[in-house]
Amino acid sequence: MPDASAQPTTDADRAIPDPLAGYTTLRTGGPAERIVAAGSADELVHAVRTATEPVLILAGGSNVVIGDAGFPGTVVLVRSRGMRVIAEDTTSVTVRVDAGEPWDDLVAATVANGWAGLECLSGIPGSTGATPIQNVGAYGQEVAETITGVEVYDRVEGIRHVIPAADCGFAYRGSIFKYVDRWVVLSVDFRLARSPLSGPVRYAELARTLGVEVGDQVPLADARAVVLRLRAGKGMVLDPNDPDTRSVGSFFTNPVLDQATYEQLLERSADLGDPPAWPGADGLVKVSAAWLIDKAGFTRGHPGESGVAISSKHTLALTNRSGTAHTADLLTLARTIRDQVHARFGVTLHPEPVLINCTL
């Protein structure tokens, strides 16, 4: 294992006096006291070990909302790149991917190589190292299904080691890494199937668009192309010419309700019809946050203050349409939506992105 005290080989200690808005897809957020860049795992470890506390690890910036006051400490930019095969057999391949590798570049490479398991996660912005933190998922796939281990720097123990997937605490949009700053993700290992076909298509919308039945398999390239088209239609693929993509994607997670709460929701929504729902283990039911938001009176394009608005394409995305809005404006709209959904349906929505130096 490389020496965790190794010195950076590039300019990882260089101060960059830019506002943090430029490092996020939402394009909001104030300045940091210091910003340094780390181009490798060794540099990342060194930057974290020697940084002035507090420390914020920031990669693609696609799942964070940073307050207008910025961050009162050191921001370490994860800029490590690379992927390599570390194990393979006749049916599978295991790929180790550096934390700073752009996620969709990885997905594109796996599809091109005939490796199945990530194809339905196409078009998601951000870096690979961020995916285990919130167990990124879309269109019926989650990274927890293919991750075998996560290499981390443990800031408490001062060591580098690999956490097996079974110990990562993966859950719906969560893991042991989320909301905890103990571990810095350095690389992620994915075990993928050698197959020209996708995994079984689980998501009804994707199946309909592909023209297949739920459970069928399709060529990897077809699955990727359709997922990209569906995401783009919802403003979920970054496009500098589309203001709807100045967002963090889905702002709220789909609520997971116990049976009693779900029955209460059905009573409150009897005049509207049943919300889209997906049964889970132990009687839990996941319901559509987008449906709740829409039926609470917040339709696509609903405006907030100073140029923030619900996306014109998808009610789950809150956008900085003007490009000049403040985080406070976005959070005001988010609170209004959350409170009205609770008042109407008795269900509390929770944010999907990580909130930095701000609260909902």
Side-chain angles (χ1 to χ4, degrees):
M1 198 66 73
D3 181 2
S5 64
Q7 296 294 314
T9 57
T10 62
D11 58 349
D13 292 321
R14 177 170 56 92
I16 310 173
D18 297 341
L20 294 175
Y23 297 99
T24 70
T25 56
L26 189 55
R27 294 294 182 259
T28 68
E33 289 185 7
R34 182 176 176 82
I35 305 178
V36 297
S40 69
D42 287 348
E43 291 179 15
L44 181 52
V45 172
H46 175 78
V48 172
R49 289 189 64 178
T50 59
T52 301
E53 295 283 352
V55 176
L56 170 65
I57 311 300
L58 188 63
S62 61
N63 196 51
V64 295
V65 179
I66 299 174
D68 295 316
F71 185 73
T74 303
V75 174
V76 178
L77 302 177
V78 181
R79 297 296 181 257
S80 54
R81 297 287 300 269
M83 61 183 83
R84 54 207 175 277
V85 174
I86 61 169
E88 56 185 321
D89 56 32
T90 57
T91 62
S92 68
V93 59
T94 300
V95 185
R96 179 163 295 164
V97 188
D98 287 335
E101 184 70 23
W103 174 253
D104 196 54
D105 288 0
L106 168 63
V107 178
T110 63
V111 169
N113 282 306
W115 301 337
L118 304 179
E119 60 280 354
C120 292
L121 303 177
S122 294
I124 295 175
S127 69
T128 298
T131 62
I133 295 173
Q134 72 161 44
N135 186 17
V136 164
Y139 294 102
Q141 284 184 339
E142 290 182 334
V143 293
E145 298 167 355
T146 54
I147 289 175
T148 61
V150 180
E151 184 191 11
V152 299
Y153 170 61
D154 186 329
R155 297 174 65 189
V156 174
E157 300 293 335
I159 59 173
R160 289 171 65 161
H161 65 105
V162 174
I163 300 178
D167 296 332
C168 289
F170 289 127
Y172 173 60
R173 299 300 174 269
S175 70
I176 63 170
F177 310 113
K178 194 169 185 179
Y179 306 123
V180 177
D181 61 5
R182 173 175 177 173
W183 296 285
V184 179
V185 176
L186 304 177
S187 67
V188 187
D189 293 348
F190 299 89
R191 187 172 186 266
L192 306 171
R194 291 184 181 275
S195 172
L197 299 179
S198 70
V201 176
R202 302 169 183 162
Y203 201 77
E205 180 188 23
L206 179 58
R208 286 195 304 271
T209 308
L210 284 163
V212 300
E213 298 296 323
V214 171
D216 287 348
Q217 294 176 276
V218 299
L220 289 175
D222 291 356
R224 173 171 167 78
V226 170
V227 168
L228 286 172
R229 187 165 78 245
L230 288 172
R231 289 186 62 86
K234 299 173 183 178
M236 298 292 188
V237 176
L238 293 181
D239 180 349
N241 298 314
D242 183 355
D244 277 335
T245 69
R246 285 196 290 269
S247 76
V248 289
S250 298
F251 192 89
F252 295 105
T253 58
N254 290 323
V256 178
L257 309 178
D258 59 34
Q259 196 62 41
T261 306
Y262 178 61
E263 293 294 336
Q264 292 173 6
L265 169 61
L266 294 181
E267 292 178 7
R268 289 188 179 220
S269 63
D271 59 325
L272 301 171
D274 293 347
W278 302 269
D282 301 320
L284 298 177
V285 181
K286 181 168 65 177
V287 299
S288 169
W291 186 92
L292 295 171
I293 292 168
D294 180 75
K295 299 306 181 183
F298 300 96
T299 55
R300 298 175 187 178
H302 181 93
E305 299 293 330
S306 304
V308 301
I310 293 176
S311 168
S312 66
K313 302 178 182 70
H314 198 286
T315 52
L316 267 183
L318 306 186
T319 67
N320 175 10
R321 289 191 61 82
S322 67
T324 58
H326 293 95
T327 299
D329 302 316
L330 185 97
L331 293 178
T332 295
L333 177 58
R335 290 186 198 102
T336 301
I337 294 169
R338 179 198 60 190
D339 294 347
Q340 185 59 33
V341 166
H342 187 270
R344 177 65 176 84
F345 298 111
V347 174
T348 300
L349 297 179
H350 297 283
E352 183 165 322
V354 178
L355 306 185
I356 305 297
N357 204 21
C358 59
T359 59
L360 187 55

